[in-house]
Amino acid sequence: MNSPLPLDDVLADATPLLDDVDPLQAELWCSDFLGAFWLQGVDDAAAGEIIAEVLPLVEKAATPEANLLCHALAALGVEGAADAAEKLTASGVPAPAWAAGTGVDVGECFRYADDFGDQESLLCTFIRDAVPHAAFVLIDHTLGGIAKDAFVVDDVASVLAALEEQCAQEPFTSLAPVDATVARARMERAFAFTDAVGGDDPDLAEELGEDFAATRAFVRARVAALPAGEAEVPADSEHEVDALVRDFVASPEAAGLADPAWAGRLATVWATHVAAAGDDPRRMSPGRIEELLIDVTPGGVLLDAAGQRAVPAVAEAWLTWSLRGSWAATLSADATAYLAEVLAEAVDEFPSGYLDLQAVLFRHGNPETVDLRG
């Protein structure tokens, strides 16, 4: 096994970092180095094995750059790196200026999220030598709860102020403190979902933040520094579509429709689409409503004139039914009313959107299009 980057090049890149008194830049540089493994589809365990083979060569180099690399790897929790750094220092190789500094202390954690559950962001602060920084993780529940972005924040106060301002300007969002054990559990779970897909997956790459791979190891190390505990996390991202649709078809909401069985077939298309992304088909949001009526149905369902006229009523029944789910227990009356407003707007747009030429061509050429005519 070989490193994705030549060792000589890695050590040469470390030279500008030798005089830094703050380890943050060295840790981020090392995180970028580890991100090269992840982008090739190498998981953390396999990357650890590769580095274990490379460390003797790093020790043999016996330069300040080699010692800096070992210290930075150790700071990110790479097994064996701390021993290598200790050996190099004991042999007289200068350690980085920050090596004798204090460790990282855990500060406060905050959760910024929309009320409908599409996304949540967790920001956890850390203090080293009286200087704060933070790890920030964006979790996207419309994509199965993956960690979609992760980065370091060096101006914590400014970012928190910006999030507070966003909450003031954007309805149905909130920023609140969250227990560190809960934050850790939610972030670890999100990273696990991302890692299950793999860093070399091209579809995943399109969804992730531009610097996700480069900062992933750093943020994961900070998450590991948070206290562990028995924290409640969301249920697994697996949803039984058939059972949900049966419940919908048997519901009072569907009973008022002209053809509940046909409504169940359309609901199956919607629920299958949502579940395929790992999300709960019953959870609704403004974006989800627009997605189903403006994108999914026009692009993937063949409807005759009667079916097109029936879609609005089915969508209204589906929303009303979904709001009886546990996910909606914390929604305010204003948030529920807003969903109804968004649905009304999407319903108004649906007829013209369904007959749009681009949508017509797409659904007739889409091999996954479902025929609900008749």
Side-chain angles (χ1 to χ4, degrees):
M1 292 184 291
N2 296 310
S3 165
L5 299 173
L7 180 58
D8 289 345
D9 292 345
V10 173
L11 295 180
D13 288 342
T15 301
L17 301 168
L18 290 176
D19 296 329
D20 282 353
V21 295
D22 183 354
L24 190 60
Q25 292 307 314
E27 290 173 330
L28 289 172
W29 163 77
C30 189
S31 180
D32 190 16
F33 164 65
L34 294 174
F37 291 96
W38 190 78
L39 283 174
Q40 292 189 4
V42 180
D43 63 27
D44 291 341
E49 293 177 3
I50 295 172
I51 292 172
E53 293 185 6
V54 173
L55 280 176
L57 298 177
V58 179
E59 293 179 38
K60 186 176 180 180
T63 62
E65 289 85 354
N67 206 353
L68 184 145
L69 174 60
C70 291
H71 275 87
L73 288 169
L76 298 186
V78 176
E79 189 173 352
D83 290 340
E86 185 177 346
K87 290 178 184 177
L88 284 170
T89 303
S91 69
V93 178
W98 46 263
T102 59
V104 173
D105 296 320
V106 176
E108 294 181 286
C109 292
F110 299 87
R111 179 177 181 267
Y112 170 74
D114 69 275
D115 294 350
F116 304 103
D118 278 351
Q119 294 185 336
E120 64 177 315
S121 298
L122 292 157
L123 183 150
C124 290
T125 62
F126 302 88
I127 300 100
R128 179 166 47 202
D129 296 330
V131 179
H133 64 276
F136 190 104
V137 176
L138 169 62
I139 300 173
D140 194 326
H141 294 289
T142 70
L143 297 174
I146 66 169
K148 186 174 182 177
D149 206 355
F151 51 89
V152 62
V153 173
D154 53 10
D155 190 346
V156 178
S158 294
V159 170
L160 287 174
L163 291 176
E164 289 175 349
E165 185 176 350
Q166 280 186 257
C167 288
Q169 295 176 351
E170 298 179 7
F172 315 120
T173 59
S174 61
L175 174 69
V178 63
D179 186 83
T181 59
V182 174
R184 173 173 175 164
R186 296 178 81 89
M187 289 189 285
E188 285 184 336
R189 186 172 185 271
F191 275 116
F193 284 152
T194 306
D195 290 347
V197 181
D200 58 341
D201 184 276
D203 294 331
L204 178 65
E206 293 181 3
E207 301 291 349
L208 299 180
E210 182 179 357
D211 296 324
F212 178 86
T215 54
R216 171 185 170 275
F218 174 88
V219 174
R220 293 215 67 170
R222 287 298 183 270
V223 171
L226 295 171
E230 295 295 327
E232 182 179 349
V233 295
D236 287 343
S237 299
E238 296 179 1
H239 304 279
E240 179 52 59
V241 170
D242 291 343
L244 285 172
V245 172
R246 285 196 299 270
D247 185 69
F248 168 66
V249 171
S251 70
E253 291 81 7
L257 298 172
D259 189 344
W262 184 90
R265 294 169 63 197
L266 178 58
T268 298
V269 175
W270 293 343
T272 300
H273 172 81
V274 175
D279 200 3
D280 181 358
R282 195 162 184 163
R283 187 186 65 77
M284 298 294 282
S285 67
R288 172 63 46 74
I289 291 171
E290 293 172 352
E291 177 187 21
L292 296 180
L293 288 179
I294 308 304
D295 295 328
V296 174
T297 305
V301 183
L302 293 177
L303 300 168
D304 55 23
Q308 293 172 45
R309 291 193 297 269
V311 167
V314 176
E316 182 177 354
W318 179 265
L319 174 61
T320 305
W321 168 80
S322 75
L323 287 171
R324 291 197 284 109
S326 59
W327 75 272
T330 59
L331 282 184
S332 66
D334 287 344
T336 301
Y338 182 62
L339 287 177
E341 293 176 13
V342 172
L343 177 64
E345 294 174 1
V347 162
D348 287 343
E349 188 178 337
F350 173 75
S352 60
Y354 189 81
L355 298 177
D356 177 80
L357 178 59
Q358 186 175 1
V360 172
L361 293 174
F362 185 84
R363 64 177 171 265
H364 281 278
N366 180 4
E368 297 182 359
T369 292
V370 177
D371 191 347
L372 295 186
R373 293 173 296 189

